[in-house]
Amino acid sequence: MRAGDKLDYIKAEGLKKEYPGRTAALKGLNFRLSKKISTVLGHNGAGKTTLLRILSTQLLPSSGRASVLGLDINDDAQEIRERIVSIPQESDALEVLTPYEHLEMYLSARGIGTREASASIDSALKTVGLYAARDHTANTLSGGMKRKIFVAMALASNADLTFLDEPTTGLDPVSRMEVWSAIKKLRGGVILTTHYLEEAKFLADEVMILNSGRLIAKGEINSLLKPYRHLVRIDGIMEGRKSFRIGDIMISYLGDKAALAYMKKGYQPKQLDLEDLFVLGALK
Ligand SMILES: Nc1ncnc2c1ncn2[C@@H]1O[C@H](COP(=O)(O)OP(=O)(O)O)[C@@H](O)[C@H]1O
Ligand SMILES: [Mg+2]
């Protein structure tokens, strides 16, 4: 990589993973990620965790190649580990430790001594809004505060790239927003997985959508929506070829003219959004 070239956080070529006796979890992924925050979106079982574990050098692919920060996951694993932070799915705070102690322990595991660590710990705890609670044991903290400890770990490590596997699953809406704003404060690149569309919309400069181990779409949400920009969505009616009944819910996608007639009847058209790509079957 020459100076001035745009850095790819991730580059993957033909990445496959087969767990013994199962259908492949990743079926040959080719992609690059270079935006500040990228989101890997997909249902349970789509292959998100497998992908993150491979990229953070915790799991070997069955075949294919990938580089992280320009470094090869097979040949340069140690160097990658020194430059990334990886927060696994369902990371949970230890009840008897304080936020400060969590970060102290984590930085010490990364080879950063207590004295040196103290300023970056305080600064990270301030950034995520945990400073006032720095000496409270985790069992007295809310779910959102506990998850923010992990984002603070990434902040204090000053990593070039942070992987977060479903950082907000199971949190209430307010706690999720707290974690989202903490994630926005990370210095380097961020790659996070989620199955919440609104999380991808709020955080991501770029989304990649996995379905059963295959990459079915990748890009900025606005670019993915471009082919549909002549349409608006109206709920509660079935009209035209692009209309869908999902359970008892009716959704129609109409051009301006047809939409106008419904507006006169009091219907409110909406701009299309990420979820509409799923409804339209654009992302199966
Ligand atoms: N350690 C494992 N051994 C065998 N199969 C696994 C293992 N981990 C994941 N799988 C399977 O691989 C597929 C992808 O799983 P995973 O990467 O955890 O998806 P996601 O994180 O998107 O829910 C699933 O079918 C899952 O059952
Ligand atoms: Mg997972």
Side-chain angles (χ1 to χ4, degrees):
M1 213 169 328
R2 292 188 311 271
D5 281 357
K6 193 160 167 45
L7 171 85
D8 283 322
Y9 285 114
I10 306 291
K11 198 165 137 188
E13 287 165 31
L15 205 59
K16 285 192 188 163
K17 180 69 192 181
E18 281 138 21
Y19 293 109
R22 304 191 64 116
T23 54
L26 299 178
K27 296 172 179 155
L29 302 182
N30 299 292
F31 65 92
R32 286 164 180 239
L33 296 175
S34 54
K35 298 278 192 308
K36 172 89 172 87
I37 302 186
S38 302
T39 298
V40 182
L41 200 56
H43 299 302
N44 287 336
K48 303 181 296 298
T49 297
T50 300
L51 177 62
L52 246 59
R53 294 192 65 215
I54 290 173
L55 296 176
S56 55
T57 75
Q58 299 162 51
L59 187 69
L60 288 170
S62 309
S63 60
R65 306 170 58 83
S67 65
V68 175
L69 300 163
L71 300 161
D72 187 273
I73 53 166
N74 289 312
D75 302 339
D76 312 314
Q78 190 52 41
E79 199 180 338
I80 292 174
R81 284 177 206 143
E82 285 163 15
R83 293 183 54 193
I84 64 164
V85 165
S86 175
I87 306 297
Q89 194 166 353
E90 280 147 21
S91 292
D92 213 350
L94 297 168
E95 299 287 301
V96 295
L97 294 187
T98 67
Y100 191 93
E101 287 164 344
H102 275 90
L103 268 67
E104 196 175 32
M105 201 170 71
Y106 186 71
L107 291 188
S108 134
R110 289 180 73 92
I112 303 169
T114 311
R115 196 175 287 246
E116 193 189 335
S118 133
S120 38
I121 294 177
D122 282 350
S123 152
L125 292 174
K126 276 180 195 152
T127 305
V128 302
L130 278 177
Y131 190 72
R134 70 204 276 273
D135 297 324
H136 299 180
T137 50
N139 59 358
T140 66
L141 304 179
S142 70
M145 288 168 97
K146 286 196 247 184
R147 291 287 174 88
K148 284 197 297 186
I149 293 176
F150 293 93
V151 182
M153 285 174 178
L155 269 166
S157 309
N158 206 24
D160 294 322
L161 182 61
T162 301
F163 294 97
L164 298 156
D165 196 359
E166 300 205 18
T168 68
T169 296
L171 293 183
D172 64 82
V174 173
S175 300
R176 287 172 64 200
M177 285 190 253
E178 284 181 10
V179 175
W180 291 348
S181 43
I183 289 172
K184 287 247 185 197
K185 290 170 181 154
L186 288 166
R187 181 186 66 80
V190 178
I191 295 171
L192 73 125
T193 72
T194 185
H195 54 255
Y196 297 121
L197 294 179
E198 64 271 35
E199 184 154 304
K201 275 186 284 187
F202 184 82
L203 284 175
D205 303 308
E206 182 165 48
V207 297
M208 58 179 273
I209 300 165
L210 285 186
N211 188 2
S212 304
R214 287 204 172 84
L215 181 60
I216 55 168
K218 183 188 142 306
E220 293 169 45
I221 294 173
N222 283 340
S223 319
L224 296 178
L225 285 168
K226 240 181 206 158
Y228 304 95
R229 69 186 152 192
H230 60 291
L231 297 174
V232 293
R233 164 178 168 168
I234 297 183
D235 289 2
I237 59 164
M238 291 294 283
E239 169 76 45
R241 280 191 301 122
K242 290 193 167 64
S243 55
F244 303 85
R245 191 186 293 271
I246 303 164
D248 291 335
I249 298 169
M250 291 182 284
I251 301 176
S252 295
Y253 297 93
L254 301 172
D256 290 344
K257 231 184 223 167
L260 199 59
Y262 279 97
M263 279 170 77
K264 287 183 182 150
K265 294 184 202 161
Y267 287 92
Q268 284 287 335
K270 291 188 236 171
Q271 290 292 325
L272 268 59
D273 214 333
L274 187 55
E275 70 170 344
D276 296 303
L277 294 177
F278 288 91
V279 179
L280 280 159
L283 303 177
K284 275 207 177 119

